Amino acid sequence: MKQILLISLFTSLSLFGANHIVNQKGKTFIPHEITVHPGDTITFKNSDPFAHNAYTDDEDNEFDIGMQPTGEDKIITVKPGNNFSVECAIHPNMLLEVIIK
Ligand SMILES: [Cu+2]
């Protein structure tokens, strides 16, 4: 019985991927490149005193976190697919490269 409980605990824990934190600060994604696995999550933080956004038009991982006010976290889950770029719709010079392994 104890063994069964341990196995089911291990199985449920392994379903969760790693979380990667990307900060938006100084109109820059920090870091500007991350390496992730499908099932991992990316937490976008906003440390600037104004709103940001993060989106990609990638066909496998398309998302748009919408308007992100200062101090608010937005979390997305990475799906299987190719590497993709994330931009901020408000500041077109912001760029994040997501490498999928
Ligand atoms: Cu921005």
Side-chain angles (χ1 to χ4, degrees):
M1 187 62 176
K2 204 179 219 176
Q3 266 180 331
I4 293 168
L5 283 173
L6 284 174
I7 289 165
S8 61
L9 180 65
F10 180 78
T11 306
S12 59
L13 284 175
S14 66
L15 292 175
F16 295 98
N19 181 51
H20 306 264
I21 293 173
V22 174
N23 199 0
Q24 306 205 69
K25 192 173 184 183
K27 293 187 183 177
T28 308
F29 287 111
I30 302 171
H32 62 84
E33 183 180 299
I34 54 172
T35 300
V36 302
H37 299 274
D40 286 0
T41 49
I42 303 173
T43 300
F44 289 97
K45 294 186 169 286
N46 181 2
S47 298
D48 272 330
F50 42 79
H52 279 297
N53 163 258
Y55 77 96
T56 180
D57 292 328
D58 179 80
E59 60 179 24
D60 300 307
N61 269 288
E62 185 177 4
F63 67 82
D64 186 336
I65 66 168
M67 194 74 128
Q68 183 184 24
T70 299
E72 189 171 294
D73 291 356
K74 302 269 189 174
I75 301 171
I76 66 106
T77 301
V78 178
K79 302 182 191 104
N82 297 315
N83 301 348
F84 59 94
S85 303
V86 176
E87 294 173 72
C88 170
I90 304 166
H91 309 104
N93 290 332
M94 294 178 63
L95 187 65
L96 166 68
E97 299 287 355
V98 180
I99 313 295
I100 302 183
K101 289 282 181 185

